[in-house]
Amino acid sequence: MGKRTIVTMPGDGIGASVLPEALRVLDAIGFEANYVHADIGWEFWIKEGNALPDRTLKLLEEHKLGLFGAITSKPKDKAASELAPELQDKGYVYYSPIVGMRQHFDLHTCLRPCKSFAGNPLNFIRRKGDGFDEPMVDVAIFRQNTEGLYCGVEWTDPPPVVRDAMNTHVKMAKFKDVPGEDLAISTRIFTRKACNSICKAAFEYAKKFGYKSVTVCEKPNVIRETSGMMMFEAREIQKDYPGIELWNTNIDAQMMWLTKNPEDYGAIVSGNMFGDIVSDGFAGLVGGLGFACSANIGDEVAVFEPTHGSAPKYQELNPSIVNPMAMILSACMMLDHIGEAEKATKIRDAIATVIAEGKVRTYDMMKLTGGPDVIKKGAATMTEMTDAIIAHL
Ligand code: NAI
Ligand code: MG
């Protein structure tokens, strides 16, 4: 097979800092690819009224694989006011480019693995008897990525046809007389196809990597229709995986159990919103945003990204102090996806060694407040961290 072409989308703030670090590691492990740069982010919103230009979509369409750093999003009013003067009041509306990318390419499956590295000073510890213990977490969160509360079907002051239709539901009675401008509706839409596909992906992964359970983390006792459909599909699919147990937790209870027995969970499946919540919760147990990697996978296109944002308060710092691991681990997920798991494992092993040795630590791993002074306090720069990982390959 010829060299792969990978679309690199550094984006804003620290996204543009960490992405080249991942490429250095990919190079060092001997992964040969062509990289094509693609525009995304705030700059293109300001200049073109579109944070996700069509030319970027075209590149992804053509090459199918993307590595993405992070973007900056701002609230509606702020976005409108920063638009170039000649584009103001021309009807441009800001949409998050990452959400846009997920919708455009139907990147239905978001996978967010959260696995503790031994020796990470940020690992969760739990009181036990007179002392503490450190449960090793190893979960793979499957978040439905295109539907649910993030599908964008929402209104403040819904149009009359929508209100009329909703009024046919008996539970709308108490909202019947609320004035339109005082009524906001965000819909939670699940399709059977998407529920089936995300559950199937979780069971397949559990089988492949030897997880003993798949947990549906929703709230079917209250959100009966949507969460209920997810649960139903999971039960059906489980019949094909007799060796894997199906568990069911409610999102609220799951957030509490997170700190009681996180080591008990394997694969977890959720809709879009709850998947976003539970994945941040688990990420917090294994080191937080500096370690949280993710994949957005569709039938054709896949995009890999750290879950952190553009961290604007650190973007000007030179040298950069942020932890490149989330980005590098996201690149490892890309390698897994394209059948280069051996290289991914070598990179993860190098990261594990750097963490276990504890000699090179970014500011987050030292529990410092970020700022230019962290280097004086002994924190490694982003570049030094990447160098240390490369040295252990
Ligand atoms: P953020 O993830 O950018 O930063 C939050 C804090 O986490 C930082 O201030 C820093 O303390 C820490 N942090 C993040 N990445 C780190 C790393 N690699 N190493 C060490 N520490 C790290 O989230 P925030 O501040 O809420 O949002 C900033 C901007 O990013 C906003 O415009 C937001 O909309 C956008 N954002 C973009 C995302 C994406 O591109 N997928 C995801 C989340 C937020
Ligand atoms: Mg999030």
Side-chain angles (χ1 to χ4, degrees):
M1 182 167 184
K3 260 196 208 174
R4 294 264 183 178
T5 298
I6 292 154
V7 180
T8 52
M9 296 165 278
D12 301 311
I14 67 162
S17 315
V18 292
L19 196 140
E21 297 300 286
L23 302 191
R24 284 213 287 138
V25 176
L26 288 173
D27 254 4
I29 198 71
F31 174 65
E32 291 189 8
N34 300 314
Y35 297 101
V36 286
H37 169 92
D39 296 334
I40 194 167
W42 200 249
E43 183 189 340
F44 303 98
W45 161 249
I46 294 176
K47 289 199 303 209
E48 303 175 21
N50 185 1
L52 179 61
D54 288 345
R55 56 188 180 278
T56 297
L57 293 175
K58 278 219 177 71
L59 284 172
L60 279 169
E61 174 100 57
E62 184 182 346
H63 301 296
K64 317 287 187 216
L65 277 180
L67 267 181
F68 169 58
I71 47 88
T72 295
S73 278
K74 296 183 188 178
K76 215 158 115 181
D77 311 352
K78 192 103 179 68
S81 70
E82 289 190 26
L83 203 52
E86 65 276 17
L87 299 180
Q88 301 249 342
D89 304 317
K90 296 248 164 70
Y92 290 101
V93 182
Y94 179 80
Y95 293 106
S96 156
I98 180 67
V99 175
M101 200 152 48
R102 288 169 184 158
Q103 306 279 354
H104 183 90
F105 292 111
D106 191 16
L107 306 180
H108 43 70
T109 300
C110 178
L111 169 56
R112 294 182 167 180
C114 295
K115 190 169 179 179
S116 315
F117 284 102
N120 186 349
L122 299 176
N123 282 347
F124 170 67
I125 54 169
R126 175 175 60 191
R127 191 177 288 280
K128 189 172 190 189
D130 289 335
F132 294 92
D133 75 349
E134 186 177 322
M136 285 290 134
V137 176
D138 179 3
V139 301
I141 292 149
F142 284 80
R143 165 191 179 191
Q144 206 298 322
N145 218 15
T146 47
E147 301 188 344
L149 274 171
Y150 291 24
C151 66
V153 182
E154 49 183 2
W155 304 266
T156 298
D157 195 3
V161 284
V162 173
R163 279 200 85 153
D164 290 347
M166 292 197 72
N167 283 337
T168 62
H169 196 292
V170 60
K171 300 275 190 192
M172 269 307 277
K174 72 172 171 184
F175 303 110
K176 199 164 63 57
D177 299 321
V178 179
E181 66 272 22
D182 295 339
L183 188 68
I185 299 175
S186 299
T187 56
R188 189 176 204 253
I189 301 176
F190 280 29
T191 63
R192 192 173 302 285
K193 184 173 169 224
C195 291
N196 187 286
S197 143
I198 196 78
C199 291
K200 177 114 196 162
F203 273 100
E204 268 304 300
Y205 192 89
K207 185 174 156 192
K208 184 167 173 195
F209 294 104
Y211 291 96
K212 66 180 194 310
S213 65
V214 170
T215 302
V216 172
C217 177
E218 276 287 322
K219 185 100 182 170
N221 55 333
V222 179
I223 318 176
R224 311 178 85 88
E225 304 304 327
T226 43
S227 293
M229 183 177 277
M230 185 72 88
M231 200 56 223
F232 180 88
E233 290 306 306
R235 281 202 194 95
E236 289 300 301
I237 289 168
Q238 195 273 334
K239 292 175 186 163
D240 296 332
Y241 298 85
I244 299 167
E245 287 177 33
L246 174 62
W247 299 355
N248 158 24
T249 58
N250 286 341
I251 177 69
D252 47 347
Q254 179 71 71
M255 295 313 283
M256 183 268 298
W257 285 323
L258 208 64
T259 53
K260 290 195 179 287
N261 62 339
E263 70 274 42
D264 291 348
Y265 298 94
I268 295 183
V269 183
S270 294
N272 213 335
M273 171 97 254
F274 296 163
D276 204 5
I277 295 170
V278 76
S279 60
D280 274 16
F282 271 101
L285 305 178
V286 302
L289 289 174
F291 295 83
C293 54
S294 77
N296 302 281
I297 302 168
D299 293 340
E300 296 267 319
V301 175
V303 175
F304 303 82
E305 54 154 342
T307 59
H308 63 70
S310 60
K313 62 181 179 186
Y314 301 142
Q315 74 181 57
E316 301 297 340
L317 291 185
N318 186 12
S320 179
I321 60 162
V322 298
N323 192 341
M325 287 186 191
M327 182 78 236
I328 296 170
L329 290 166
S330 303
C332 289
M333 295 184 78
M334 180 188 74
L335 291 176
D336 287 338
H337 183 74
I338 59 176
E340 296 274 8
E342 224 173 274
K343 290 189 172 71
T345 302
K346 284 185 184 151
I347 298 172
R348 288 192 187 101
D349 287 349
I351 291 177
T353 310
V354 172
I355 294 172
E357 284 182 357
K359 287 191 283 206
V360 181
R361 288 177 172 174
T362 43
Y363 84 93
D364 52 326
M365 298 172 75
M366 296 176 69
K367 301 176 198 173
L368 296 170
T369 304
D373 58 331
V374 299
I375 295 168
K376 271 195 306 237
K377 294 178 180 161
T381 64
M382 173 189 72
T383 315
E384 286 167 347
M385 177 53 90
T386 310
D387 289 343
I389 294 166
I390 290 172
H392 283 87
L393 285 175

